[in-house]
Amino acid sequence: MRKFNTMKIGEDVSFYALVESLQQRFTPNKSAYYSVGLSDGDAIVDARIWDTNLVEKNELTRGEIYFFEAHINEYASKAQFVIKQIRKVEEGEIDKNLFYRSAPITEESLRKEIKRYISRIENSILKEMVIGLISKVSEAYFSYPAAMSMHHNYASGLAYHTYTMLKLADAYLEIYPGMNRDLLYAGTLIHDIGKTRELSGIHGTVYTEEGNLLGHIVIGLQMIAEVAANLGVESTEEVRLLSHLVASHHGELEFGSPKEPGVLEAFALHFMDIADAKLTPISAEVVKTEKGKSTGPIGSINRKTIYKPNID
């Protein structure tokens, strides 16, 4: 199967691809079209469907794989795929597993590393809370993406995002005195636990009804309250602080946090979260970009492009 990195501007091409994103938009004169993100399993390209009937006729759906015919235009110095034809893929026609992206380390390794960090928590209440929360949603915790599109939007993305943040936590704890290690580890491990109910699953991920109505922060706080009540520790300082870290990890009210950070560990958690959420997709694009060139538009930074320095 042909990969995107072999295709050039000006070519007419045909290929299999997974629909990563699908959004209806409108031109200045109010004509409808679709902006589509297509994945070949390794790379994601920007595509346009000007004939909206193609979307409706083929029931184009996020998370599904189709066969496309397209012409590659140059737009803003980047390749843009203009879709001409679409057809559904027959059962057994291709190996669909080749198109689904996953974290750069295995789920088994993520389970082992996260278990190692849990074992380093010495505070018994915090450790019991973390174990109780993760054990209730273990399968989803280690297999779900961390988001639909913005960052870590692949299988095991949630666990990988958590793991990379734990490694950042080690650096923060070494550099900045005054933080409680157990609280920072615990908050990092469960800050996004609500995403196991906010999101629908691994492939073709959408927001659940609960996710749309409440969001992962509120869901996470509900989960903490339930586990704390079962353990009989709901009135402890540990649970209050753990709840605060989850409630404030988006940093500011305008970004969805019901509270802004009020303890040092909460500030650290917020900065780690935003750094990993933004730098991971930026890094992924820079790695596959030639020196002296700019990346394609990156969703996590409002579709800005990043220049890769042409130096050794």
Side-chain angles (χ1 to χ4, degrees), residues 16-163:
Y16 294 97
L18 171 76
V19 178
E20 283 270 359
S21 62
L22 179 67
Q23 183 178 12
Q24 187 178 52
R25 293 179 176 172
F26 296 88
T27 64
N29 65 2
K30 308 302 181 183
S31 296
Y33 70 96
Y34 283 90
S35 174
V36 192
L38 299 176
S39 171
D40 64 2
D42 295 321
I44 298 175
V45 298
D46 183 39
R48 294 289 183 270
I49 302 175
W50 300 107
D51 182 359
T52 58
N53 289 326
L54 289 175
V55 172
E56 296 155 9
K57 182 174 68 174
N58 292 281
E59 300 176 341
L60 207 66
T61 305
R62 289 185 66 256
E64 296 296 332
I65 299 164
Y66 299 84
F67 183 78
F68 295 90
E69 295 179 19
H71 180 78
I72 308 177
N73 285 339
E74 183 174 0
Y75 178 76
S77 301
K78 298 295 177 184
Q80 185 179 87
F81 286 61
V82 178
I83 305 301
K84 303 296 186 182
Q85 294 293 335
I86 305 170
R87 72 166 172 83
K88 296 179 180 180
V89 174
E90 299 293 332
E91 192 64 36
E93 183 176 344
I94 54 170
D95 181 0
K96 294 186 176 182
N97 291 323
L98 298 174
F99 293 84
Y100 292 112
R101 297 179 302 131
S102 59
I105 60 178
T106 66
E107 182 179 326
E108 180 181 359
S109 296
L110 286 168
R111 287 179 179 271
K112 179 179 178 181
E113 289 300 314
I114 285 175
K115 183 178 181 180
R116 181 171 65 85
Y117 273 98
I118 294 173
S119 71
R120 293 166 68 178
I121 299 175
E122 296 178 357
N123 183 286
S124 60
I125 294 176
L126 290 173
K127 178 178 283 190
E128 287 179 355
M129 285 294 300
V130 169
I131 292 173
L133 283 159
I134 294 177
S135 64
K136 288 174 69 68
V137 291
S138 179
E139 183 177 347
Y141 184 91
F142 287 102
S143 65
Y144 272 31
M148 282 178 54
S149 59
M150 296 305 288
H151 71 94
H152 301 85
N153 56 328
Y154 41 69
S156 296
L158 175 58
Y160 184 64
H161 174 50
T162 302
Y163 171 57

Side-chain angles (χ1 to χ4, degrees), residues 94-301:
I94 54 170
D95 181 0
K96 294 186 176 182
N97 291 323
L98 298 174
F99 293 84
Y100 292 112
R101 297 179 302 131
S102 59
I105 60 178
T106 66
E107 182 179 326
E108 180 181 359
S109 296
L110 286 168
R111 287 179 179 271
K112 179 179 178 181
E113 289 300 314
I114 285 175
K115 183 178 181 180
R116 181 171 65 85
Y117 273 98
I118 294 173
S119 71
R120 293 166 68 178
I121 299 175
E122 296 178 357
N123 183 286
S124 60
I125 294 176
L126 290 173
K127 178 178 283 190
E128 287 179 355
M129 285 294 300
V130 169
I131 292 173
L133 283 159
I134 294 177
S135 64
K136 288 174 69 68
V137 291
S138 179
E139 183 177 347
Y141 184 91
F142 287 102
S143 65
Y144 272 31
M148 282 178 54
S149 59
M150 296 305 288
H151 71 94
H152 301 85
N153 56 328
Y154 41 69
S156 296
L158 175 58
Y160 184 64
H161 174 50
T162 302
Y163 171 57
T164 52
M165 284 179 61
L166 287 165
K167 292 197 291 183
L168 287 174
D170 285 335
Y172 276 45
L173 288 163
E174 181 179 350
I175 296 169
Y176 305 110
M179 279 192 283
N180 182 282
R181 184 187 69 169
D182 288 354
L183 180 59
L184 186 59
Y185 281 166
T188 303
L189 284 158
I190 59 92
H191 77 286
D192 273 345
I193 195 83
K195 289 187 176 181
T196 60
R197 285 166 36 185
E198 180 186 44
L199 301 175
S200 64
I202 305 173
H203 305 313
T205 309
V206 296
Y207 288 113
T208 62
E209 183 176 335
E210 184 180 18
N212 276 320
L213 292 173
L214 301 178
H216 72 276
I217 290 180
V218 172
I219 294 170
L221 292 172
Q222 291 177 339
M223 295 171 72
I224 289 172
E226 180 182 346
V227 171
N230 289 339
L231 293 172
V233 295
E234 62 268 35
S235 298
T236 62
E237 177 82 344
E238 287 88 345
V239 169
R240 278 192 293 271
L241 289 169
L242 191 60
S243 298
H244 174 70
L245 263 63
V246 170
S248 63
H249 79 266
H250 279 190
E252 299 177 27
L253 303 181
E254 64 183 291
F255 297 131
S257 278
K259 291 294 292 183
E260 294 184 351
V263 297
L264 179 57
E265 294 81 359
F267 278 102
L269 179 62
H270 167 57
F271 295 140
M272 286 156 35
D273 187 37
I274 196 170
D276 191 51
K278 291 190 178 293
L279 286 175
T280 295
I282 294 172
S283 173
E285 288 297 319
V286 168
V287 164
K288 62 187 182 186
T289 300
E290 294 181 34
K291 291 181 179 180
K293 303 287 185 181
S294 293
T295 67
I298 302 172
S300 68
I301 51 172

